[in-house]
Amino acid sequence: MNQLSLLIILTAALVTPLAMAWFRLSVLPTAVVEILVGILLGPSVFNLIHANATLNLLSNTGVIFLLFLSGMEIDFSLFSRRKVPQTPLAAKVANSAPKHSPVFLAGTAYTGIVVSSLLLGWACVALKLFADPWLAAIIFMTISLGIVIATLKEKELLSKPFGQTILLIAALGEIVPLLALTLYAAIFGSHNQSLWLILLIFLAAGVLFLRFKPFFTFYQRINKSTTQLDIRLAFFLIFSLVVLAESVGAEGILGAFVAGIVMKLLQPGEDTKVRLDAIGYGFFIPIFFMMSGANLNLRQLLAQPATLVLIPAFFVAYLLAKVIVYGVLRLRFKRGNALAGTAISSVTITMVLAVLQVAKSMHAVTSQQSGAFLLAAVLTCVCGPLLFNLSYSAEAEDLKKSVVHFIGTNLLTVPVAQQLATGWYDITMYTDKEANYRTYNSEVNDQLIPDLTAATAEAAGVFDADTVVLGHFNANKNYELAKAAKAYGVNRVIVRFEDRNVLDEREDELTDLGIEVYNTPNVNIAMLRSLIETPATLRLLTSTTSTVYEVTLRNRRYTDQAIRQLPFVGDITISQIFREGHFVRPTGETLLKFNDRLIFTSTPATARELRRELGILN
């Protein structure tokens, strides 16, 4: 019977996503559908599967792996702040920009959620709906990070300020309840130990991080398909910290979440993340979700009148706990998006399942109350994504063009600036030569500055751009300004060198800093050679209908897809893929990887759309 129940669950795990694709059921998250399938297969409806030792072990492993992968989803770069100099122009730019950062908005919103959840917890006690206000508050303040990330990815919002804000709120909605649950279990549990021992988990995490920090810098040289060292490291981190957490009286899920954070900080390759997702979402996690549904007995729950009151009461409490998010989001975003953000922030299921699992082991919740909490959480997962998709629309700040600043206004740079200005670019040119300024200022957006020192350029706002191009004839000035721009925090710095002798001395230094070097003689030589070897090269590069473009693949929607499966493959020709320092000759079966640099040919209009689509960090 144990084997039959497992076979039924694995069959359902295979059929469920196929059925969702067949019926185009994209409104509900897969996790919610899997819980509903578990309810159908369990004693509530068909009574085909029952809990047993094997399924319980796999289900517990599933929740541990789910929290581990959730820890790996935390994007710590969101907490870093770009340097903003206190200069007149920079101050003007800062004053015209939105004043509230995603970190501030998320912190403020979640503080409000915590306060609201505590009030609702005591309200449940006053109304005699639930006896433990602390446990109720922990449940109400939870947010399902996995569902939020999936929804934001679908809308391609993770790289935008709105998406970053919601992502941080959701991350806090897993981290804070997890820590609160650990403290709750340590204080009220029957086997509680000293709270200070919980600090050993974070101490051990720090030791593991320092010990394995250089791991991914050399493992590629020794890794083999029969060893999979990165996956072995992941399981070592998981079970080391889970065992330690349980040994000091904390919950194992805290250790799993911290292990995911450690793995994230070790900066594994995209392939590692893909394989870990495959192990978790391909086997363990669906079992956990389906068993969570199978463990519910709706016939017994709904037969009790009290449950019919608890489900809508808890559902309303989930929503009321997140109402404060709307007011905070309105500080920066428009009304519809504030509503959308509030709706998706109310979604909760993952941590509710984890909290209820711990609460049951502590006998702090009855099966009737547990079922009501879970069913109300399922309702949030149905309503939240639906309302989000209906309410969200692009913010004005998300539609801004890419800002490119040129230093040096001359015959080489002006034509390039003129052509880029017709596309999705906001172009400004800077020169220290008054004669050049008088010549070109009527043709391009040109600014005259006193000199080309780093201090003057910074004061004039030259470095407040997505891309800075150093196109001056003076190689030494270009060299100094390129370093200053990169130190300021400019994403892309392109520097021109006419003198090969100057470039030879400094090319390695600039390349190590991430600065892109352009040498006109080298380009001319390469062009002439290509023209001799491939006569159509010049026509291709100068054509007004089709030319060569490059884009870095940042949109994970297209990673691990074969080129022939791309929806736009008929409109472009991919000639080369630059991956991890070397070129890959593409075929129809070549799988695209995150951070691949695609060199392709297309029309300018297609190229603009394609670069926006593939280049979005999602």
Side-chain angles (χ1 to χ4, degrees):
M1 290 299 296
N2 290 355
Q3 293 175 342
L4 181 60
S5 294
L6 178 58
L7 177 60
I8 292 173
I9 283 189
L10 293 179
T11 303
L14 174 63
V15 172
T16 297
L18 294 175
M20 291 178 66
W22 179 265
F23 293 106
R24 297 181 180 179
L25 183 61
S26 58
V27 175
L28 294 180
T30 304
V32 176
V33 176
E34 288 171 345
I35 292 174
L36 296 176
V37 170
I39 292 174
L40 291 174
L41 297 177
S44 299
V45 183
F46 296 115
N47 200 27
L48 296 176
I49 57 176
H50 302 274
N52 55 60
T54 302
L55 289 177
N56 287 338
L57 174 62
L58 294 174
S59 178
N60 291 337
T61 305
V63 70
I64 286 173
F65 219 92
L66 180 62
L67 268 295
F68 170 76
L69 293 177
S70 296
M72 287 191 67
E73 293 288 357
I74 306 297
D75 185 1
F76 293 95
S77 66
L78 297 179
F79 295 93
S80 62
R81 294 186 177 182
R82 177 175 169 174
K83 176 184 175 184
V84 180
Q86 299 302 314
T87 62
L89 182 58
K92 181 180 178 181
V93 172
N95 290 333
S96 65
K99 296 181 180 179
H100 302 293
S101 69
V103 175
F104 170 80
L105 293 174
T108 304
Y110 197 75
T111 300
I113 290 174
V114 171
V115 174
S116 301
S117 299
L118 290 170
L119 294 175
L120 288 167
W122 286 104
C124 286
V125 175
L127 296 173
K128 297 183 180 180
L129 298 175
F130 195 64
D132 192 330
W134 304 109
L135 185 60
I138 292 172
I139 293 176
F140 293 146
M141 69 177 69
T142 60
I143 303 174
S144 183
L145 179 61
I147 293 177
V148 170
I149 286 176
T151 305
L152 294 176
K153 278 185 177 181
E154 188 64 28
K155 287 283 188 179
E156 300 182 340
L157 295 175
L158 286 180
S159 63
K160 294 180 172 59
F162 177 81
Q164 293 173 0
T165 303
I166 302 303
L167 175 63
L168 286 173
I169 294 174
L172 291 171
E174 286 211 344
I175 296 173
V176 175
L178 190 55
L179 294 175
L181 177 63
T182 300
L183 295 176
Y184 176 87
I187 295 172
F188 298 106
S190 57
H191 302 291
N192 60 315
Q193 300 183 25
S194 300
L195 288 177
W196 68 268
L197 291 176
I198 296 176
L199 297 176
L200 293 177
I201 302 171
F202 299 96
L203 178 61
V207 172
L208 289 171
F209 169 70
L210 294 175
R211 173 64 183 83
F212 291 101
K213 190 175 182 179
F215 179 84
F216 285 100
T217 62
F218 69 90
Y219 106 99
Q220 291 284 6
R221 300 197 304 266
I222 60 175
N223 190 42
K224 296 184 293 185
S225 60
T226 55
T227 56
Q228 301 292 329
L229 290 176
D230 51 344
I231 307 302
R232 297 189 189 194
L233 173 64
F235 278 98
F236 170 75
L237 293 175
I238 293 171
F239 286 98
S240 295
L241 292 176
V242 166
V243 170
L244 178 61
E246 294 179 346
S247 300
V248 300
E251 294 303 318
I253 54 177
L254 174 62
F257 190 81
V258 174
I261 292 176
V262 173
M263 192 69 178
K264 174 75 172 186
L265 292 175
L266 292 176
Q267 298 180 338
E270 187 69 17
D271 288 347
T272 300
K273 179 66 167 58
V274 168
R275 279 179 283 141
L276 288 171
D277 281 344
I279 294 171
Y281 290 104
F283 183 69
F284 293 109
I285 295 174
I287 295 177
F288 165 65
F289 283 130
M290 289 189 182
M291 285 305 300
S292 298
N295 287 331
L296 287 175
N297 192 330
L298 295 186
R299 293 178 182 178
Q300 294 181 0
L301 289 174
L302 299 180
Q304 304 176 36
T307 306
L308 300 178
V309 176
L310 289 178
I311 293 174
F314 289 157
F315 175 70
V316 171
Y318 283 132
L319 300 182
L320 290 177
K322 313 304 190 310
V323 166
I324 188 66
V325 175
Y326 177 84
V328 175
L329 293 181
R330 281 291 292 134
L331 295 175
R332 177 165 180 175
F333 307 110
K334 56 188 180 184
R335 207 174 268 109
N337 289 350
L339 177 61
T342 305
I344 199 63
S345 297
S346 68
V347 171
T348 182
I349 191 69
T350 308
M351 279 304 301
V352 169
L353 291 169
V355 172
L356 291 176
Q357 189 177 53
V358 173
K360 285 180 181 178
S361 66
M362 296 174 58
H363 305 291
V365 63
T366 65
S367 59
Q368 175 187 1
Q369 293 167 337
S370 176
F373 274 121
L374 181 55
L375 289 175
V378 171
L379 290 177
T380 66
C381 294
V382 174
C383 299
L386 178 61
L387 186 56
F388 178 86
N389 290 327
L390 293 175
S391 304
Y392 180 79
S393 60
E395 291 281 339
E397 61 183 293
D398 296 334
L399 301 176
K400 290 181 178 178
K401 295 181 178 182
S402 179
V403 178
V404 180
H405 287 175
F406 285 80
I407 300 178
T409 305
N410 49 58
L411 289 173
L412 175 67
T413 57
V414 168
V416 176
Q418 289 175 325
Q419 292 180 26
L420 290 176
T422 62
W424 200 252
Y425 295 95
D426 182 1
I427 304 295
T428 305
M429 306 194 74
Y430 297 87
T431 181
D432 63 336
K433 297 184 181 299
E434 189 172 351
N436 288 13
Y437 172 74
R438 289 198 305 267
T439 302
Y440 297 113
N441 71 331
S442 61
E443 301 179 27
V444 292
N445 179 16
D446 198 11
Q447 304 290 329
L448 180 64
I449 55 179
D451 54 62
L452 290 182
T453 62
T456 301
E458 187 172 326
V462 177
F463 298 153
D464 293 318
D466 300 304
T467 302
V468 170
V469 180
L470 285 307
H472 200 277
F473 285 109
N474 190 315
N476 291 320
K477 286 185 178 180
N478 285 345
Y479 167 72
E480 296 296 338
L481 288 170
K483 291 199 301 179
K486 203 64 182 178
Y488 182 86
V490 179
N491 184 31
R492 291 189 66 198
V493 178
I494 303 172
V495 58
R496 169 192 180 187
F497 281 99
E498 295 299 310
D499 190 339
R500 185 71 218 187
N501 294 326
V502 176
L503 178 59
D504 288 340
E505 297 175 2
R506 298 165 178 177
E507 185 172 12
D508 290 341
E509 177 190 0
L510 295 175
T511 302
D512 291 341
L513 292 173
I515 296 172
E516 301 167 57
V517 177
Y518 168 80
N519 178 245
T520 306
N522 280 2
V523 172
N524 289 338
I525 292 169
M527 178 60 63
L528 181 57
R529 188 189 70 242
S530 297
L531 185 58
I532 294 171
E533 296 176 345
T534 312
T537 299
L538 185 61
R539 181 178 299 177
L540 177 64
L541 294 177
T542 58
S543 171
T544 58
T545 59
S546 183
T547 187
V548 178
Y549 297 93
E550 177 182 327
V551 62
T552 300
L553 178 58
R554 307 293 301 282
N555 192 335
R556 286 186 172 86
R557 177 187 292 184
Y558 299 103
T559 58
D560 293 297
Q561 278 197 34
I563 289 178
R564 62 177 177 79
Q565 296 175 331
L566 297 176
F568 43 78
V569 69
D571 300 324
I572 66 172
T573 299
I574 300 176
S575 57
Q576 292 283 355
I577 299 176
F578 190 71
R579 176 184 298 164
E580 297 179 353
H582 62 277
F583 284 98
V584 175
R585 186 177 298 277
T587 67
E589 301 300 323
T590 301
L591 296 180
L592 297 180
K593 300 296 182 182
F594 188 74
N595 275 336
D596 274 356
R597 293 165 62 180
L598 309 183
I599 301 171
F600 65 95
T601 307
S602 74
T603 62
T606 301
R608 282 195 296 270
E609 294 299 319
L610 190 61
R611 293 171 80 172
R612 291 181 60 190
E613 176 74 11
L614 296 183
I616 293 175
L617 179 60
N618 184 31

